Amino acid sequence: MGTVLWIPGKILGALLSLKPFQRCKEAILIQDGYRLGDLLLLSPAIELIKEKYPSYKIDLVTSRSGCELVSNSGWFNECIALDPPWLTQQSLLKATRFYIDTAIKLRARRYKIFIDFQGDPRGVILGLLAAIPYRYSHSSFGAAFACSQSYTTPSSILHQMYKDYYLASSLCNTKNTISQSQPLWPKQSKNAAPSLPAFDVIIHSGASNPARKWPLLHFKQLINLVHGENQNLSICCIGGPGDIQDLNELKNDMAPNITVQCPTFIELEILINQSKIIVCHDSFMMHAGWALKKAMVILFGTSNPQCFAPLNSSTIVISANQPMTFPYTEWKDGSPIAANMPDTVFAAMRNLGL
């Protein structure tokens, strides 16, 4: 699709941008992947852009939960919350109205630069329709037709955090290498910080993608293994609004051995910092634990940990029922996540000092 639309996209972009070129502000609009984990991995790239454009107003367009996550971080001047049609399965009519209404609102802000970190044509076209003169993105997924310039990441760069940093360094025309070995955690409002009990183990059983979700039965078996080893170890199972059914089932079946909670972001930060170890999927929880420097056992299915998993020695990834540590060179093609067995996960937890 990108090849077919490249020429008309370039022409449309030039026509739409003629007047805004003369009146655009020193302002940058950044678009992430509308997923919380992606937003954390983006943090080193954001730092580089802010360093390169110190006088620019830098805004973010992302999900409502993403705006909530970074609202007190100081990373952006403003956060614009959107519910894009490709994530909410809107009808064609509603999707069309979304593009028109959003483009009008963004155009009124007179941004000079639009940076998309997903390379998704459905997202990049917002910058085109909003007549933002300079539009940059990855070229991996056919977004080049709607960009002023797109960048192809070298095949040697696998990890998403490094891919985002490569895009930022390319458009900033700098040869700086990434200095952070982990994503940043956005500062949360301490005014809302509650007093919470500390737990030895934090378990997050949720995953936005069903293929990345470990069977709930396996989590129950893992909890039994932990308490079979030491009944004094405290376990908190956490999740978001979409995980309520699983949390209720765990609470009903495993009580009184566990506590369940749907934490706010500040509560999540406190729970992670006070815990000894986290067990989770390839998810936002994985990136949050990485940013907060916590030991983790992470369950992977068919996705490649070399592209997403923490780049440290305090993480053990379980894929195809095989434990592995950074740089995860043992990974081959993966297998369904259900192939990972509770006893393998428990052994990894013990290896990390549980």
Side-chain angles (χ1 to χ4, degrees):
M1 184 185 72
T3 303
V4 175
L5 295 177
W6 192 86
I7 294 178
K10 293 293 185 180
I11 295 174
L12 179 60
L15 292 175
L16 288 173
S17 301
L18 287 176
K19 290 185 179 180
F21 257 118
Q22 304 302 320
R23 56 182 179 82
C24 56
K25 298 179 180 179
E26 286 194 340
I28 298 172
L29 180 63
I30 290 174
Q31 180 172 240
D32 75 335
Y34 295 88
R35 290 184 291 268
L36 296 176
D38 290 345
L39 186 49
L40 292 185
L41 293 182
L42 197 56
S43 55
I46 299 300
E47 292 293 299
L48 178 61
I49 293 169
K50 290 174 66 176
E51 180 182 329
K52 178 67 175 180
Y53 297 95
S55 64
Y56 274 59
K57 179 178 185 285
I58 299 179
D59 294 346
L60 173 73
V61 56
T62 188
S63 65
R64 298 183 188 280
S65 56
C67 286
E68 181 184 350
L69 176 63
V70 300
S71 61
N72 198 59
S73 66
W75 294 357
F76 307 98
N77 295 94
E78 186 177 351
C79 192
I80 303 167
L82 291 182
D83 295 312
W86 57 90
L87 294 181
T88 54
Q89 297 181 340
Q90 297 177 12
S91 66
L92 179 60
L93 177 59
K94 288 185 177 181
T96 302
R97 289 185 60 184
F98 166 86
Y99 277 108
I100 294 173
D101 292 345
T102 303
I104 291 173
K105 292 176 183 177
L106 294 180
R107 183 163 186 163
R109 292 170 175 264
R110 295 160 53 190
Y111 291 106
K112 186 175 184 178
I113 299 173
F114 177 78
I115 308 172
D116 170 79
F117 279 94
Q118 284 301 299
D120 190 325
R122 298 169 298 183
V124 175
I125 200 170
L126 284 175
L128 176 68
L129 296 176
I132 302 175
Y134 300 100
R135 302 174 304 281
Y136 304 101
S137 185
H138 295 291
S139 58
S140 307
F141 304 106
F145 80 94
C147 295
S148 307
Q149 187 169 354
S150 60
Y151 298 89
T152 301
T153 309
S155 58
S156 59
I157 300 178
L158 295 178
H159 203 280
Q160 184 63 46
M161 186 172 71
Y162 288 168
K163 288 181 178 180
D164 290 341
Y165 195 86
Y166 176 82
L167 173 59
S169 63
S170 296
L171 64 92
C172 289
N173 195 27
T174 177
K175 294 184 178 180
N176 290 356
T177 56
I178 188 169
S179 58
Q180 295 97 324
S181 59
Q182 63 191 49
L184 304 176
W185 176 255
K187 179 183 177 183
Q188 303 298 308
S189 174
K190 299 304 179 183
N191 294 331
S195 177
L196 297 174
F199 296 92
D200 296 302
V201 180
I202 301 293
I203 290 177
H204 181 238
S205 61
S208 58
N209 185 340
R212 297 182 180 181
K213 189 173 181 179
W214 207 37
L216 204 60
L217 176 61
H218 285 7
F219 278 111
K220 296 176 184 179
Q221 293 169 341
L222 176 63
I223 292 169
N224 286 331
L225 285 171
V226 172
H227 279 144
E229 176 81 6
N230 186 346
Q231 290 186 349
N232 294 322
L233 290 173
S234 55
I235 301 175
C236 183
C237 296
I238 66 171
D243 304 319
I244 297 297
Q245 182 176 346
D246 285 353
L247 291 177
N248 285 337
E249 183 176 337
L250 287 170
K251 182 178 180 180
N252 292 334
D253 292 354
M254 306 307 297
N257 294 332
I258 64 167
T259 299
V260 300
Q261 197 166 21
C262 288
T264 63
F265 289 123
I266 181 59
E267 289 172 341
L268 178 64
E269 177 183 334
I270 293 170
L271 288 170
I272 290 175
N273 282 331
Q274 293 181 161
S275 69
K276 292 181 180 178
I277 195 167
I278 295 170
V279 179
C280 63
H281 303 114
D282 171 14
S283 64
F284 165 63
M285 186 66 182
M286 173 181 73
H287 302 307
W290 181 15
L292 292 169
K293 304 178 182 180
K294 190 57 59 175
M296 291 185 288
V297 177
I298 304 171
L299 297 150
F300 268 74
T302 56
S303 55
N304 186 351
Q306 296 177 33
C307 299
F308 306 106
L311 310 175
N312 58 34
S313 59
S314 59
T315 294
I316 296 179
V317 162
I318 310 295
S319 178
N321 203 36
Q322 178 183 3
M324 57 190 73
T325 56
F326 175 74
Y328 314 113
T329 52
E330 305 95 324
W331 188 86
K332 301 302 180 184
D333 297 320
S335 63
I337 195 167
N340 299 320
M341 293 291 103
D343 57 345
T344 304
V345 177
F346 180 57
M349 295 170 69
R350 296 183 65 181
N351 287 338
L352 289 174
L354 183 66

